[in-house]
Amino acid sequence: MSDGSGRETISLSEHEAGLRQVAFQTREYIAADWATSNLASVIQLAGGSGWASQPGQHREHAIAFLSVRILRACRAAMGVLAAGWETEGMGVTRQVVEINARLCEVAADQTPETGRLYLHGKAKTSIGAAIRAATPEVDPSAVADLYRGLSRYAHADVGGIMRRATVDDDLRASITWGPDHTEDTRLFLLVCGSFAAEAATRLAVEADVEHPNRDALSTYLQAVERELATARGWPDT
């Protein structure tokens, strides 16, 4: 396209729109959209049920608030990733990982104390400890590497740009500065879908409300996880 002077200009909006259409067709995005929509339904049902409606229900209030936070963070990450701003989407995905860890931490304590601390802006443990506790089946060093990588892209670290650089044989660097997708887009969309589905299941159980199509969603997510693992050459687990 061109501006009024006849000079060629770049339409980022058109580029983003095209990338979104591609992302919307991936099974990872479909899974994340399904999972977050389910979570939104469960939040609505829980709110209407009267659960967590009484003063002093610190645990219940914290679970409700964190469920809303993870829904919003997942949808934000999905939007940024789908539009092709992958590195920036990884920064939002870091929030998803952190919120999930705090949600698991509050839910694991059957007393009101951890929820009370959260509601007062405090934490029972460090975020690193909370993330490790939320993923006990994963090698702690792998969890640390993932979080370290996500943290790098959440800040003004040079790694956020160098990740988008390619270097030729003459050591000349070229930076991909515009929006695009890599295989990591699919991975982080799946992270959003998996954590949203877990949050929906947890909230539905806590509030004793329906979780629509839970089993079908779980089956779909597991199939997508296997497909992505095969595509990335990960070992069977």
Side-chain angles (χ1 to χ4, degrees), residues 166-236:
T166 55
V167 180
D168 64 19
D169 292 339
D170 296 323
L171 301 183
R172 291 176 299 192
S174 175
I175 303 293
T176 300
W177 58 266
D180 70 345
H181 293 152
T182 74
E183 286 300 305
D184 285 340
T185 297
R186 297 173 59 194
L187 170 62
F188 293 115
L189 286 171
L190 184 57
V191 168
C192 291
S194 297
F195 285 161
E198 291 175 10
T201 297
R202 182 180 295 108
L203 182 59
V205 171
E206 292 284 348
D208 192 24
V209 296
E210 182 186 3
H211 180 182
N213 300 309
R214 180 194 63 185
D215 294 340
L217 173 59
S218 177
T219 299
Y220 189 83
L221 276 166
Q222 290 172 16
V224 175
E225 289 171 1
R226 288 193 297 270
E227 290 172 7
L228 187 60
T230 299
R232 295 176 74 102
W234 291 338
D236 293 335

Side-chain angles (χ1 to χ4, degrees), residues 113-135:
E113 181 59 17
T114 304
R116 185 189 68 79
L117 288 172
Y118 171 77
L119 293 173
H120 285 83
K122 300 177 182 179
K124 180 179 180 181
T125 64
S126 69
I127 189 60
I131 291 171
R132 288 192 296 274
T135 53

Side-chain angles (χ1 to χ4, degrees), residues 84-88 90 153 158-166 174-182 184:
W85 302 106
E86 185 181 89
T87 299
E88 293 68 30
M90 292 167 69
Y153 303 127
V158 69
I161 275 296
M162 295 310 297
R163 176 177 181 271
R164 313 300 297 130
T166 55
S174 175
I175 303 293
T176 300
W177 58 266
D180 70 345
H181 293 152
T182 74
D184 285 340

